[in-house]
Amino acid sequence: MSALLVPPSRVPQPRNPGMALRTITAETYRAFLASPAGAALGAGFLQCPSWADVKEGWRAQLLGWGPDPDAGQLTGVALVLLRQFPGTRKYFAYLPEGPVADWNDPDVDDWLGPLLEHLRRAGAFAVRIGPSPAYRRWDAALLKPLAGPGRRLGDVLASEVDPLGTTVAERLRARGWRRCGGEGTGANGTGGDGDAQPRHVFQVPLAGRTPEDLWSGLNQEWRRNVRRARKEGVEVVVGSAAELPEFYRLLGITERRDGFRLGRSLAYYERQYAVLNAEEPGRMKLYLARHRGEILAAHTMITVGRRAWYQTGASADHRREVRPSNALQWRMLLDAHALGADVYDMRGVPSTLDPEERTYGLLRWKLGTGGQVVETLGEWERALGGSANHALHRAFQAYLNRR
C-alpha cells in the first residue's frame, strides 16, 4: 500500500474486557472482510484497504476491534483517512461509508468510544463517519407517478422506514454527533448539503431473482431501449486500463452536457483501476458500448463481496438513439447477478421529484430499472472534545466552504 499508514500506537481499551482495538495490517483487514462475519457487515468499496491508495493527500490508518485483533479475531474494522488542517499538526478524520461495524449492537460504546479516543490521541480534532444502515426506502413504482412541480422525496410517504436506521440516528445524536447534511432530504443534488458521499442512492435488489425477473422489473421504456440497442448492433464488452483515456474523454463530454463537474483527473481513474484490481482481480471493471467500431459509452462497476456498484458513467453526444447506456446497464445488471451479488447499487440520485429540474432526469433514468431509492443515514460529524478542537472544527468547516 503506497498511502502513508500511521504506525501502530497504544490504543485505549474499551470497558468490555473481551473487546480490544488495534491498528491492523491490510492482510488482516482483508481477511476479516472475506470471512463470514465480515462479509455479513456488507462493507463498501470505500472501506477497502485499497481505497487509501486512491485518495492522494490523505494519511491512512487501518483499525480493527474484537476479542483479539492481533490474532485476526475481529468484529469490526475501519479505514480512517486523515487530512491535515493547513498550518497545524491536527487532522480531520474521515471514515467514508464506515466504519464497518455491527450497528445492531446496543453496546456501540464498546468500540465507538475507544475509536474516537484513539483518533483524538492520533491528532484528530474532528471525525466524520458514514453509518451503513438505511433510513428510508421508496419503490420506483411509487415515485414515478408522484413527480410534479416543486415536489421532493421528503414529500412522499416512504415505502419502508428502517427501524435500525432510526435507532442508530438516535444513538448518535445522544452522543453529540451532528448529521452533516441536516435532517431534511437536501436542497438539490445527490444528498443533503454537507455530505461528501450521496445520501440518496438507487439500488436494484438481486437476491432471489432470476434474469427473467430482472427483465420484467424494467419498465417498458427500458426494455424497448435495450431491444433497440441490440437491433442496432450495439456491442457491450469489458475493457481494460488501455481504454481508460477514452472513458475519461467521454466523461468530459458528459460533464459538459449534464452540467456537473467531478473534478477528477485521468490519473485518478488509472490509479483507482490499478489499486482496486491489485487488491482483488476484477474488483473494478470498465464496460464499453461499441457501435460501428466506435465507443459510444463507458461505465465502471465495482464489486466487493455480495455487492456491486455502478460507479461512473460516460457517453458521447451523438448516436444516442441507439441507446448504448441502456445496453451497458443491462449487461452490468446481469453480470452482477451472475457474480452472486445481492444488490446492484447505482449510487447517487437527487432528492427532487420536479421534472423541470435538470437533475430529475438522472433519477427518472434509474427509476426505469424498477429498484428503490434508498435514503442512507448520511454522514455524521463531531469534534473530539476540548475547546481547541471545537474551534478547529469550526475553522475547518469554514475552510471547506471557501474551497
Side-chain angles (χ1 to χ4, degrees):
M1 182 179 292
S2 62
L4 178 60
L5 290 177
V6 178
S9 60
R10 193 173 72 84
V11 181
Q13 297 309 302
R15 296 170 298 177
N16 181 351
M19 181 78 69
L21 190 149
R22 298 276 192 275
T23 53
I24 59 176
T25 66
E27 291 72 25
T28 299
Y29 192 114
R30 283 191 284 265
F32 173 71
L33 292 185
S35 71
L41 299 178
F45 63 90
L46 298 177
Q47 278 292 298
C48 287
S50 56
W51 198 252
D53 288 332
V54 176
K55 302 298 291 181
E56 290 189 323
W58 297 78
R59 300 175 71 187
Q61 276 195 349
L62 299 177
L63 301 177
W65 54 89
D68 190 352
D70 295 328
Q73 297 179 26
L74 299 166
T75 57
V77 293
L79 166 64
V80 181
L81 301 176
L82 298 165
R83 169 82 77 174
Q84 189 170 10
F85 185 50
T88 76
R89 295 183 179 179
K90 291 283 193 172
Y91 296 88
F92 178 74
Y94 180 37
L95 287 68
E97 298 187 0
V100 183
D102 180 8
W103 290 98
N104 276 294
D105 184 358
D107 299 320
V108 294
D109 289 323
D110 281 345
W111 56 266
L112 186 56
L115 172 64
L116 298 182
E117 178 60 17
H118 167 74
L119 294 175
R120 186 187 66 79
R121 293 192 178 201
F125 61 86
V127 61
R128 175 182 291 198
I129 62 175
S132 59
Y135 181 42
R136 294 184 288 184
R137 299 174 186 271
W138 293 266
D139 293 336
L142 169 70
L143 290 176
K144 190 171 181 180
L146 295 179
R151 303 210 70 180
R152 313 200 72 77
L153 282 171
D155 300 326
V156 179
L157 186 65
S159 305
E160 177 187 343
V161 177
D162 192 322
L164 176 60
T166 302
T167 299
V168 170
E170 291 172 351
R171 288 174 179 168
L172 291 175
R173 289 190 196 98
R175 289 159 175 79
W177 293 83
R178 180 186 64 84
R179 202 178 190 195
C180 297
E183 297 302 323
T185 55
N188 49 49
T190 57
D193 295 336
D195 288 324
Q197 304 303 325
R199 178 181 297 186
H200 297 91
V201 298
F202 195 87
Q203 296 180 350
V204 181
L206 303 179
R209 302 177 72 188
T210 66
E212 291 74 24
D213 294 332
L214 297 179
W215 177 256
S216 63
L218 303 180
N219 67 16
Q220 287 186 343
E221 181 181 4
W222 262 79
R223 291 197 296 268
R224 183 170 61 249
N225 288 342
V226 173
R227 291 191 187 103
R228 175 69 182 272
R230 189 179 301 140
K231 181 180 178 181
E232 295 288 343
V234 174
E235 178 191 16
V236 176
V237 298
V238 177
S240 67
E243 285 84 25
L244 284 171
E246 181 61 14
F247 159 76
Y248 188 71
R249 184 187 71 81
L250 291 172
L251 184 59
I253 293 173
T254 305
E255 289 178 338
R256 290 188 292 274
R257 180 180 67 239
D258 294 344
F260 68 91
R261 176 67 176 149
L262 293 177
R264 293 170 183 156
S265 65
L266 172 59
Y268 173 90
Y269 291 104
E270 290 175 332
R271 184 168 63 252
Q272 182 186 107
Y273 188 91
V275 301
L276 266 62
N277 287 321
E279 183 172 61
E280 182 176 313
R283 170 148 287 167
M284 180 175 177
K285 292 180 180 177
L286 175 64
Y287 285 80
L288 309 171
R290 289 196 178 102
H291 184 246
R292 298 176 187 168
E294 181 183 0
I295 298 174
L296 293 182
H299 295 180
T300 59
M301 186 172 84
I302 299 175
T303 57
V304 178
R306 299 182 68 87
R307 297 175 66 190
W309 292 262
Y310 157 45
Q311 188 197 20
T312 307
S315 60
D317 283 340
H318 61 289
R319 267 185 271 161
R320 295 170 62 81
E321 70 278 2
V322 302
R323 305 301 180 183
S325 292
N326 295 93
L328 278 176
Q329 284 301 306
W330 176 239
R331 166 70 183 275
M332 291 163 69
L333 263 172
L334 291 178
D335 283 4
H337 180 270
L339 288 169
D342 292 332
V343 174
Y344 181 68
D345 192 322
M346 301 181 78
R347 296 292 282 169
V349 291
S351 61
T352 182
L353 293 175
D354 187 343
E356 296 301 316
E357 290 194 31
R358 188 173 192 174
T359 55
Y360 174 75
L362 177 64
L363 174 60
R364 181 182 179 277
W365 187 70
K366 293 182 181 181
L367 286 174
T369 62
Q372 296 177 318
V373 174
V374 179
E375 181 182 5
T376 70
L377 283 183
E379 296 186 327
W380 296 70
E381 248 180 51
R382 60 164 290 180
L384 293 180
S387 57
N389 281 344
H390 280 276
L392 272 176
H393 187 208
R394 290 191 295 270
F396 187 71
Q397 290 172 322
Y399 164 74
L400 290 179
N401 290 336
R402 291 195 301 269
R403 292 181 65 189

